[in-house]
């Protein structure tokens, strides 16, 4: 140990700056071979010392400027400091300074190190906060005792909280579960009421169609009998019979084409909004009959819209986004359009023997058409052709890539319009939009993609 201490003392003299009397910090070596801290040498030369003279031997340096940092000496300094620290933490060094062989009397707050009086007077600790060992130990012992009291209080509080969690005053688990059970029961009741209405409407539609068929049969019977009458009798009844025939035929549209009923599903739109996506329209593939807004959120039919039989009569616009997995939902504002088309495009479908749609179909569409004051919803491909009470303000579109579902919703009424399922997707899917064909004499309005954070409710719409 004595040899080690002697070696450390010699090493410390080699890595100590003779200007600041502390360990080197970024040491530099000048021409005479002496080394100093870079900052110390720079300060000495600026402080009036002879130009470029060594602060230790007064020899004139030929360098003419502050040398670069001596990296090897810097590394040696760090090793010396580390060795000194380890020696001071050794068994012999716990009671006295191994360098000066003096008992520890002081404590350095910054370095957290016990010092002898000589170490405490060294430049290395000159700017540090130093206090007597007894005073420092008393201070830390008091802080540790206060911390122990705080920990005991926290532990006692945590034990009480744990006991409360095991036997909570408010049992949120059962309360929330009860609310979900209540909601499930209420939804089952609402489902039963909705299905009951659908069965009643189906029966009413069948009865209405049967009654219309009976009216047609009665009318045919009267026409056959009228054809066998003599001229005078035929002329007396002809006008009345023709008027009655026109009245029966006028009722055909309502009897044959069913009306799209609204069956609101509570919470439906809120659930779909969980997978809502932000779409933009692709301006690249747009033809000359439509125009897209600058923000790519709306499309409008131009006045020179034309229906070309060899091409698509809809002049569709594609979304910039494509989907090849997952669930996605978006909403489209069609308030200002009497006629429009919404849907998706996919280039390939997986063929199935039982596939009941056209195997070559690459689009799945919902179209709104206005005829003689009435609005009709039609699907392609598919059987839907229903009348509506009035135009739809907003349509929701839900796409689930697997197992292959495309559904359209009346957002205002939170009800289903139609669902394609299953669709055997094998390639990415693109949403498509068409703001037409526009009606003659009516200025076309825009078809607008609704912002993700916009929501439509009956009370808001009725106030518009």
């Amino acid at each position: 140990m004595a040899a080690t201490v002697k070696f450390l003392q010699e090493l410390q003299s080699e890595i100590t700056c003779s200007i600041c009397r502390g360990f080197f910090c970024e040491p530099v070596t000048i021409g005479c071979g002496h080394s100093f801290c870079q900052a110390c040498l720079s300060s000495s030369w600026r402080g009036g010392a002879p130009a470029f003279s060594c602060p230790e031997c007064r020899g004139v340096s030929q360098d003419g400027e502050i040398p670069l940092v001596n990296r090897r000496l810097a590394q040696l300094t760090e090793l010396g400091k580390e060795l000194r620290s380890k020696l001071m933490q050794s068994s012999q060094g716990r009671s006295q300074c191994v360098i000066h062989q003096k008992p520890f009397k002081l404590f350095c707050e910054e370095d957290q190190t016990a010092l002898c009086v000589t170490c405490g007077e060294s430049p290395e600790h000159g700017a540090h906060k130093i206090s007597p060992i007894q005073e420092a130990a008393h201070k830390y012992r008091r802080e540790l005792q206060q911390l122990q009291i705080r920990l005991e209080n926290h532990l006692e509080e945590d034990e009480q909280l744990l006991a409360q969690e095991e036997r909570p005053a408010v049992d949120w688990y059962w309360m929330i579960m009860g609310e979900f059970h209540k909601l499930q029961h209420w939804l089952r009741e609402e489902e039963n009421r909705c299905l009951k209405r659908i069965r009643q409407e189906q029966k009413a539609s069948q009865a209405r169609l049967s009654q219309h068929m009976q009216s047609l049969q009665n009318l045919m019977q009267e026409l056959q009998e009228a054809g066998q009458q003599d001229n005078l009798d035929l002329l007396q009844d002809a006008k009345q019979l023709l008027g009655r025939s026109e009245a029966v035929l006028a009722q055909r549209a309502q009897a044959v084409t069913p009306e799209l009923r609204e069956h609101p599903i509570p919470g439906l739109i809120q659930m779909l909004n969980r997978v809502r996506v932000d779409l933009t329209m692709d301006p690249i593939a747009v033809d000359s009959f439509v125009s897209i807004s600058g923000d790519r959120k709306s499309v409008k039919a131009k006045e020179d819209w034309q229906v070309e039989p060899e091409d698509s009569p809809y002049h569709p616009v594609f979304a910039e986004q494509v989907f090849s997995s997952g669930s996605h939902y978006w909403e489209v504002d069609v308030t200002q359009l009497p006629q429009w088309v919404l849907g998706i495009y996919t280039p390939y479908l997986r063929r199935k023997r039982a596939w009941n749609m056209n195997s070559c179909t690459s689009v799945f569409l919902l179209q709104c058409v206005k005829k003689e004051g009435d609005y009709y919803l039609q699907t392609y491909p598919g059987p839907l052709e229903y009348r509506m009470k009035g135009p739809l303000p907003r349509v929701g579109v839900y796409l689930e890539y697997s197992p292959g579902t495309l559904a359209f919703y009346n957002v205002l009424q939170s009800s289903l319009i139609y669902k394609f399922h299953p669709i055997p997707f094998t390639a990415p899917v693109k949403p498509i939009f068409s703001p037409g064909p526009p009606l003659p004499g009516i200025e076309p309005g825009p078809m607008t993609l609704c912002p993700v954070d916009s929501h439509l409710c009956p009370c808001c719409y009725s106030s518009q």
Side-chain angles (χ1 to χ4, degrees):
M1 177 62 73
T4 303
V5 172
K6 183 179 179 181
F7 168 76
L8 180 60
Q9 290 174 339
E10 294 176 354
L11 177 62
Q12 185 169 345
S13 66
E14 295 295 330
I15 59 176
T16 299
C17 176
S18 60
I19 298 176
C20 67
R21 309 303 300 171
F23 288 119
F24 283 134
C25 177
E26 296 186 339
V28 295
T29 303
I30 58 178
C32 62
H34 292 118
S35 300
F36 308 92
C37 297
Q38 189 181 57
C40 294
L41 181 62
S42 176
S43 177
S44 174
W45 282 359
R46 288 198 310 267
F52 307 116
S53 63
C54 174
E56 189 167 337
C57 70
R58 302 304 176 184
V60 177
S61 174
Q62 301 300 321
D63 295 332
E65 60 183 8
I66 302 295
L68 296 176
V69 174
N70 187 334
R71 295 298 176 189
R72 290 185 177 275
L73 186 55
Q75 294 174 357
L76 182 62
T77 302
E78 293 300 320
L79 289 173
K81 291 166 66 176
E82 183 179 355
L83 178 59
R84 181 178 183 275
S85 176
K86 289 182 178 180
L87 279 175
M88 294 185 70
Q89 296 174 6
S90 65
S91 58
Q92 181 181 352
R94 292 185 184 277
S95 59
Q96 66 177 12
C97 176
V98 296
I99 298 176
H100 304 106
Q101 301 299 314
K102 294 181 180 180
F104 291 130
K105 297 290 185 179
L106 305 173
F107 184 77
C108 177
E109 292 282 352
E110 280 74 4
D111 294 340
Q112 292 288 291
T113 306
L115 306 172
C116 68
V117 175
T118 303
C119 288
E121 294 174 349
S122 67
E124 182 183 357
H125 300 282
H128 294 176
K129 182 180 179 181
I130 297 176
S131 57
I133 280 185
Q134 290 185 350
E135 181 181 328
H138 177 70
K139 172 191 172 185
Y140 279 103
R141 187 173 285 109
R142 185 172 63 252
E143 291 181 0
L144 291 173
Q145 290 174 349
Q146 292 175 352
L147 179 60
Q148 183 179 0
I149 293 174
R150 288 178 58 192
L151 293 176
E152 290 175 351
N153 292 336
H154 286 319
L155 181 60
E156 183 178 351
E157 292 176 1
D158 292 346
E159 289 176 350
Q160 294 175 358
L161 290 173
L162 180 59
Q164 292 176 5
E165 290 292 333
E166 292 174 351
R167 296 181 299 275
V170 179
D171 195 339
W172 291 106
Y173 180 87
W174 290 103
M175 288 177 64
I176 297 301
M177 183 165 45
E179 292 301 308
F180 271 103
H181 287 168
K182 186 194 303 181
L183 178 61
Q184 291 168 4
H185 176 71
W186 183 76
L187 286 174
R188 281 194 295 269
E189 289 183 341
E190 187 65 25
E191 177 187 5
N192 292 333
R193 285 193 292 267
C194 182
L195 296 179
K196 183 179 179 180
R197 287 197 303 270
I198 292 175
R199 287 192 292 267
Q200 291 174 346
E201 290 169 1
Q202 288 175 343
K203 291 180 179 179
S205 178
Q206 293 172 1
R208 187 166 52 251
L209 185 56
S210 298
Q211 183 178 0
H212 180 69
M213 291 174 61
Q214 185 63 47
S215 299
L216 291 177
Q217 291 174 356
N218 294 339
L219 184 59
M220 290 177 61
Q221 181 66 32
E222 290 187 42
L223 292 175
Q224 290 177 359
E225 294 176 355
Q228 298 175 2
Q229 290 179 342
D230 54 41
N231 293 340
L232 185 59
D233 293 336
L234 175 62
L235 293 174
Q236 290 178 348
D237 298 335
K239 187 173 183 179
Q240 181 181 3
L241 184 58
L242 289 173
R244 194 160 60 250
S245 299
E246 291 296 333
V248 172
L249 293 175
Q251 297 173 358
R252 174 173 173 75
Q254 295 184 355
V256 174
T257 307
E259 182 178 322
L260 182 65
R261 300 294 181 177
E262 298 165 352
H263 302 286
I265 302 176
L268 173 66
I269 302 301
Q270 291 87 334
M271 178 188 67
L272 293 171
N273 278 326
R274 297 174 63 182
V275 293
R276 194 159 172 177
V277 292
D278 188 21
L279 298 184
T280 50
M281 299 180 183
D282 187 357
I284 297 178
V286 174
D287 60 28
S288 60
F289 301 110
V290 296
S291 61
I292 294 180
S293 62
D295 61 0
R296 303 182 182 181
K297 290 292 185 179
S298 65
V299 59
K300 188 175 181 180
K302 293 183 178 180
E303 295 182 358
D304 58 348
W305 178 292
Q306 296 180 7
V307 176
E308 301 178 4
E310 66 275 10
D311 298 322
S312 169
Y314 306 119
H315 304 296
V317 174
F318 294 92
E320 291 185 302
Q321 292 74 20
V322 294
F323 303 113
S324 56
S325 64
S327 300
H328 313 277
Y329 174 72
W330 59 94
E331 293 182 358
V332 185
D333 187 336
V334 292
T335 307
Q336 303 183 50
L337 293 174
Q339 300 192 139
W340 45 263
V341 178
L342 291 172
I344 61 170
Y345 164 80
T346 182
Y348 303 106
L349 292 175
R350 185 172 60 253
R351 294 176 179 269
K352 290 185 176 181
R353 289 184 179 180
W355 181 237
N356 60 354
M357 294 183 185
N358 187 345
S359 61
C360 297
T361 295
S362 58
V363 293
F364 296 83
L365 306 175
L366 175 69
Q367 180 180 14
C368 178
V369 179
K370 188 176 182 182
K371 300 177 184 177
E372 300 176 353
D374 289 329
Y375 293 88
Y376 294 84
L377 286 179
Q378 303 168 346
T379 55
Y380 177 84
L384 182 70
E385 184 168 358
Y386 275 62
R387 288 181 299 106
M388 291 189 298
K389 296 178 180 178
L392 291 175
R394 186 180 293 195
V395 178
V397 185
Y398 173 71
L399 170 68
E400 187 175 359
Y401 194 86
S402 178
T405 298
L406 176 67
F408 300 92
Y409 296 94
N410 181 340
V411 178
L412 182 64
Q413 298 299 330
S414 187
S415 62
L416 176 68
I417 297 175
Y418 189 76
K419 179 169 68 174
F420 292 102
H421 179 82
I423 305 174
F425 294 125
T426 60
V429 174
K430 272 194 173 187
I432 57 177
F433 319 90
S434 174
L439 294 176
I442 299 179
E443 183 178 356
M447 169 183 280
T448 305
L449 289 169
C450 301
V452 174
D453 57 354
S454 71
H455 305 287
L456 183 67
C457 61
C459 58
C460 298
Y461 182 72
S462 61
S463 62
Q464 291 180 349

